Amino acid sequence: MTRLPRWLAAAAIACLAGYIYAYASGRAGMPIRSDAFSYYVYLPAWALYQDPSLQAVADDCCGGEFPDWTAIIRWRFTRQWVNAHPIGEAIMIGPFFAVAHALTRWTNLSPDGFTPYYQHAAGLAGLFYVIAGLWFLQRLLERYFSRGVTTATLVTLLAGTSLYHYATFDSTWSHAFTFVLFSAFLERFDARRQGRISDHVILGLLAGFLILVRHTNVLIPICFYGWDLVGSAVRRKISAPLVPALVATLVVLPQLWIYYRATGHWFISSYGALGFTFDSPHLGGVLVSPTKGLFFYAPLLLLAVPGLFALPGRLRAWRVPLAFLLVVNTYLIASWWDWQFGASYGHRGFVDLYPAFALGLAVTFAAVADRPPLRAALAGAAVALCALSLFQMLQYWHGILPMSDVTWAQYREVFLRWP
Amino acid sequence: MAMTRREWIAVFAAGLAAALWYLRDPSWLADQTTGLRGWERTADGNGHRWSGGHASFFVPADAHQVRIPVATTFDAREPGGDRPMVVAFTIDDVRATRALLDDTSVHEVVLQMPPPGSRRLRRIDLRTSVTREGNRGVKVGAVSMTPDGVNWRPCCLLPR
């Protein structure tokens, strides 16, 4: 049996400590809130009320009508509920929900899906999946990098970006769930063997769940399998990924059925009238602005960018699909009508892509591993950036750093300020 | 001295059993409520908490009867705001009684409690047939109990 690496056990304890602090101090409210409500709501609807229409939950929680903030809307023509958020996260929380339900019965709390055990089952599920994602990334990175580089990469990814925040304070958002699925997808895609059917089935499952957690995640399998297909076509030995495609389709079918049941259509825009503004993307806003810039709040990731061009071994073949994935996803995020993605620490849209950045970060760390002066300088910078990221995250938790619409003047005013 | 795997499993099982034993009837349940908002004081010095469409709270298991004051608003200007409201009560998920609210007066609902069981507290859930604007169900006042059917005392959901 593989033992959990010590650093990963320490990371899990650190995340658990942060989680307990966030909720025991009352900073975070309850785990199932805001977007997390609509990602989670399928579980009580299916498991407690046997009602796929969601109406029973609406009756019980909300007087028959979901409030606007839930992003669950009545479809105009059928008056059925359509949830903007798909079912994948709820399925992944399922095992935790089952334990919570048994405990709820045991303690005699109200078994309505929203009492404390259910709440923290959902919250701890997100935490668990971030740790699991780090474990998958470790398996992948250790094939190409030393243990030291791998550990340094993943520790800095956790502490130097918003990943820790999405493992603790906002662990019920979908990002923790995409993070583990994308990490596992990369790990399996790298390790797959053409003749081993189980690899293709697992990759199909992962691709299906990626789509079920967030529909735009469909880009991940498309980029990797698409580039593979191009390569095989160039070699005139076309091998279409039929097994993964078939498995992924089967996994996604229940979601399509839910859409069909509610609207009469298999494919819909579950966000209703909300959508993209492709002709005016906020690229600067999502990448470098103090409002929500990825590199502004996680400057450590700048170290990952050059590394992505120098991936080692078999990973070199991933340069094009990774570049395509990062560029297209950035354009999509920057074009979303609410390009800030509401309240978040850093830009939460990019948390889903952190596994890709981990690869670039590892390359950069490996490049200086044998050069002591550079290694010391980079280690010093990485520690400082991790400290800055964690400090700003605590500022966010304590309401010092605004949740959205941060201006440069506001940022300067609160920079390194406590309380 | 390092512990063997069997010893680790034994420690884990003992810890799990202790946790389950504690969670069977924890004292913190007495303060546990769901679906109830904060206290609002009224001019007469009394107070109430608004419920949503579903709320729950706990009462001592040794109560013979429990009295719950409930009221709601009737406002024809709100869509459906003047519809009568049925409030259904359950005790530990067993149907207990229903109350029809068709005016703004406070209705004192008395629940006949089952004999004490193995727990110190019983859970009472209330569900309203309709809600008012802002997902408001009923105004719930301080709950009283009697162990003998004669002497009443406030027990639960006390104003703070």
Side-chain angles (χ1 to χ4, degrees), chain A residues 320-362:
Chain A
V320 172
L322 281 178
F324 192 77
L325 181 66
L326 292 173
V327 168
V328 174
N329 246 314
T330 301
Y331 182 64
L332 285 177
I333 291 168
S335 303
W336 185 239
W337 69 275
D338 178 13
W339 60 271
Q340 297 186 46
F341 280 33
S344 67
Y345 172 59
H347 201 302
R348 64 190 177 95
F350 289 96
V351 179
D352 303 8
L353 301 173
Y354 283 173
F357 284 104
L359 296 170
L361 205 54

Side-chain angles (χ1 to χ4, degrees), chain B residues 39-118:
Chain B
W39 276 100
E40 291 178 25
R41 288 273 179 195
T42 46
D44 59 3
N46 292 321
H48 62 254
R49 294 173 73 177
W50 271 107
S51 79
H54 173 204
S56 71
F57 55 92
F58 288 84
V59 299
D62 58 0
H64 177 61
Q65 288 175 316
V66 166
R67 189 163 59 205
I68 307 165
V70 291
T72 194
T73 53
F74 287 84
D75 186 348
R77 289 168 299 178
E78 289 177 17
D82 56 351
R83 287 163 63 189
M85 179 185 288
V86 176
V87 191
F89 293 86
T90 59
I91 302 168
D92 291 342
D93 296 322
V94 176
R95 190 175 292 177
T97 191
R98 286 168 170 237
L100 174 67
L101 308 186
D102 51 8
D103 59 43
T104 57
S105 65
V106 175
H107 294 240
E108 300 222 315
V109 178
V110 176
L111 300 184
Q112 195 69 34
M113 302 299 287
S118 59

Side-chain angles (χ1 to χ4, degrees), chain A residues 384-393 395 400-401 410-419:
Chain A
L385 293 176
C386 287
L388 177 65
S389 178
L390 290 172
F391 182 78
Q392 292 186 156
M393 180 197 74
Q395 284 185 309
I400 300 164
L401 195 63
Q410 278 177 314
Y411 181 79
R412 276 177 49 186
E413 194 178 323
V414 301
F415 184 67
L416 297 184
R417 183 165 292 178
W418 190 270

Side-chain angles (χ1 to χ4, degrees), chain A residues 12-324:
Chain A
I13 291 168
C15 287
L16 199 58
Y19 181 91
I20 291 169
Y21 174 74
Y23 288 105
S25 65
R27 295 279 161 201
M30 287 303 259
I32 302 168
R33 61 185 191 277
S34 189
D35 279 9
F37 178 89
S38 38
Y39 278 108
Y40 167 85
V41 72
Y42 298 104
L43 276 171
W46 298 337
L48 304 180
Y49 299 104
Q50 291 78 48
D51 170 32
S53 77
L54 307 182
Q55 184 59 49
V57 178
D59 290 340
D60 197 63
C61 78
C62 314
E65 297 291 322
F66 288 113
D68 290 342
W69 60 262
T70 61
I72 306 173
I73 56 168
R74 278 204 188 277
W75 196 250
R76 207 169 70 182
F77 304 106
T78 61
R79 305 299 298 155
Q80 294 284 315
W81 291 114
V82 173
N83 191 340
H85 298 133
I87 61 176
E89 179 176 331
I91 295 172
M92 290 174 74
I93 295 173
F96 296 82
F97 178 91
V99 174
H101 185 63
L103 274 177
T104 297
R105 286 286 187 196
W106 179 255
T107 304
N108 196 29
L109 283 160
S110 193
D112 62 3
F114 294 95
T115 40
Y117 294 144
Y118 298 107
Q119 294 275 351
H120 291 294
L124 291 172
L127 191 158
F128 169 82
Y129 284 122
V130 167
I131 298 299
L134 291 171
W135 183 78
F136 282 116
L137 283 178
Q138 182 195 250
R139 280 173 64 100
L140 171 65
L141 293 180
E142 279 194 349
R143 289 184 200 132
Y144 300 95
F145 304 98
S146 68
R147 177 158 291 184
V149 165
T150 299
T151 304
T153 299
L154 298 179
V155 169
T156 48
L157 187 73
L158 180 65
T161 68
S162 57
L163 186 58
Y164 184 84
H165 175 82
Y166 285 97
T168 53
F169 194 95
D170 281 340
S171 60
T172 41
W173 269 236
S174 67
H175 311 295
F177 300 83
T178 296
F179 176 78
V180 66
L181 292 168
F182 187 23
S183 300
F185 182 88
L186 289 178
E187 192 279 328
R188 250 334 64 195
F189 199 81
D190 178 60
R192 78 194 195 284
R193 287 191 208 146
Q194 218 41 258
R196 195 162 58 191
I197 191 80
S198 61
D199 283 346
H200 304 296
V201 171
I202 290 170
L203 281 163
L205 283 170
L206 290 168
F209 269 94
L210 276 164
I211 298 164
L212 281 189
V213 167
R214 203 171 173 80
H215 292 339
T216 50
N217 286 343
V218 72
L219 279 170
I220 293 170
I222 284 179
C223 285
F224 282 84
Y225 278 113
W227 186 242
D228 228 31
L229 204 58
V230 169
S232 67
V234 168
R235 292 191 303 272
R236 300 190 178 197
K237 281 177 67 182
I238 292 179
S239 61
L242 294 178
V243 174
L246 180 69
V247 174
T249 304
L250 289 174
V251 171
V252 174
L253 268 181
Q255 179 69 64
L256 301 182
W257 176 78
I258 285 172
Y259 289 149
Y260 181 77
R261 191 180 181 283
T263 68
H265 302 280
W266 293 97
F267 296 96
I268 59 160
S269 169
S270 58
Y271 279 90
L274 305 175
F276 294 94
T277 54
F278 288 118
D279 52 347
S280 54
H282 293 80
L283 290 170
V286 302
L287 290 176
V288 292
S289 77
T291 312
K292 276 283 175 276
L294 167 70
F295 296 117
F296 190 89
Y297 286 98
L300 189 92
L301 292 178
L302 284 169
L303 296 174
V305 177
L308 286 169
F309 294 97
L311 295 172
R314 285 197 307 268
L315 299 183
R316 255 193 293 274
W318 290 6
R319 281 178 301 184
V320 172
L322 281 178
F324 192 77

